[in-house]
Amino acid sequence: MPFKKMMIVFLVGLLGACGTGNQTNENNEVMKKKVAAENPKQHEIAAKVHPSIEMKEENNSTIINYKVKNISGEPIKLSFASGLQADYIVYDEEGKKVKQYSDEVMSTQAITEMTFDNNQEIQNSFTISDLYNGTYKIEVFLTAEEEQAKVVMDLLVDKSLLTKASGVFTGQIDPHSIEVDIKGEKVAFQLKEEAIQQLPALKEGSEIWFVYTENEIQKTIEEFFIE
């Protein structure tokens, strides 16, 4: 092939490659802009509120102090479907829900609204007295339609009057008490009314799980865990 003809072919190929490269770059830029529009970067989303929890055990109960501060720089409108501004859910070590505050309290059903001013704090306190000793996870959150401000934390209870235990049900002593074999030791337990009602579901010789309280005189089963 003559030299001049070879040069022409080479230049045509080079120009074609440049055109393809420019088109590819343009397509990549368009795609990046599209992804950025659909998925804004996390650091570009400014936090509007700052939630926090303080926990302490006192008088055999756990006290939860939940605070939410408006750090958005401007007022925020909050709408609540009831008179309950905040709620909590407690989960056990297996992730099962143990209790929820809104399941146990009465609240008005009227919709309420508030203006949450900049730097203002919303505070709610909860006292939990019916958890047995153990490790849990608690999540606390606002019930507002616009903002939940959820906080999830580990919860250790070790000063409760309630203790969870297991053993082999060896038999009923009388209508208000039973005997349980706990690691080879026969232990007598009194029964609270709820536990008495659960008694027909128990089988002698089977392993049972229960929550009990103890004083200097006796041990009393509050309730059985029955699947």
Side-chain angles (χ1 to χ4, degrees), residues 49-56 62-69 80 84-91 99-102 122-128 131 136-144 147-155:
V49 299
H50 175 68
S52 62
I53 289 181
E54 294 178 356
M55 296 186 293
K56 63 179 180 179
T62 301
I63 299 174
I64 309 292
N65 291 316
Y66 171 61
K67 299 179 182 180
V68 181
K69 185 175 182 179
F80 301 92
L84 196 66
Q85 279 192 345
D87 197 0
Y88 69 75
I89 303 176
V90 178
Y91 300 92
K99 64 181 300 162
Q100 182 166 353
Y101 182 65
S102 57
I122 296 175
Q123 300 187 39
N124 286 268
S125 294
F126 308 97
T127 300
I128 308 175
L131 291 178
Y136 305 85
K137 193 173 292 292
I138 183 170
E139 60 178 43
V140 190
F141 50 93
L142 292 178
T143 60
E147 180 66 60
Q148 278 200 317
K150 182 183 295 185
V151 181
V152 181
M153 291 187 66
D154 291 331
L155 171 61

Side-chain angles (χ1 to χ4, degrees), residues 19-35:
T20 304
N22 290 336
Q23 185 177 2
T24 301
N25 290 336
E26 290 175 2
N27 289 340
N28 287 341
E29 289 300 320
V30 171
M31 183 59 69
K32 288 179 181 178
K33 291 179 181 178
K34 183 178 180 181
V35 170

Side-chain angles (χ1 to χ4, degrees), residues 93-189:
E93 292 180 290
E94 297 177 353
K96 296 179 181 178
K97 186 173 85 170
V98 175
K99 64 181 300 162
Q100 182 166 353
Y101 182 65
S102 57
D103 292 340
E104 303 173 352
V105 298
M106 298 291 292
S107 62
T108 60
Q109 296 301 312
I111 296 176
T112 59
E113 295 182 350
M114 69 169 288
T115 299
F116 190 21
D117 293 326
N118 184 47
N119 289 324
Q120 181 183 353
E121 276 191 344
I122 296 175
Q123 300 187 39
N124 286 268
S125 294
F126 308 97
T127 300
I128 308 175
S129 57
D130 54 355
L131 291 178
Y132 52 83
N133 291 314
T135 302
Y136 305 85
K137 193 173 292 292
I138 183 170
E139 60 178 43
V140 190
F141 50 93
L142 292 178
T143 60
E145 180 181 345
E146 298 83 359
E147 180 66 60
Q148 278 200 317
K150 182 183 295 185
V151 181
V152 181
M153 291 187 66
D154 291 331
L155 171 61
L156 175 63
V157 178
D158 58 8
K159 294 181 176 63
S160 173
L161 295 176
L162 300 171
T163 301
K164 184 179 180 181
S166 65
V168 177
F169 176 39
T170 57
Q172 188 169 351
I173 299 173
D174 57 45
H176 302 283
S177 61
I178 65 171
E179 185 181 75
V180 182
D181 186 330
I182 300 179
K183 297 180 179 179
E185 180 184 356
K186 302 292 178 62
V187 182
F189 288 91

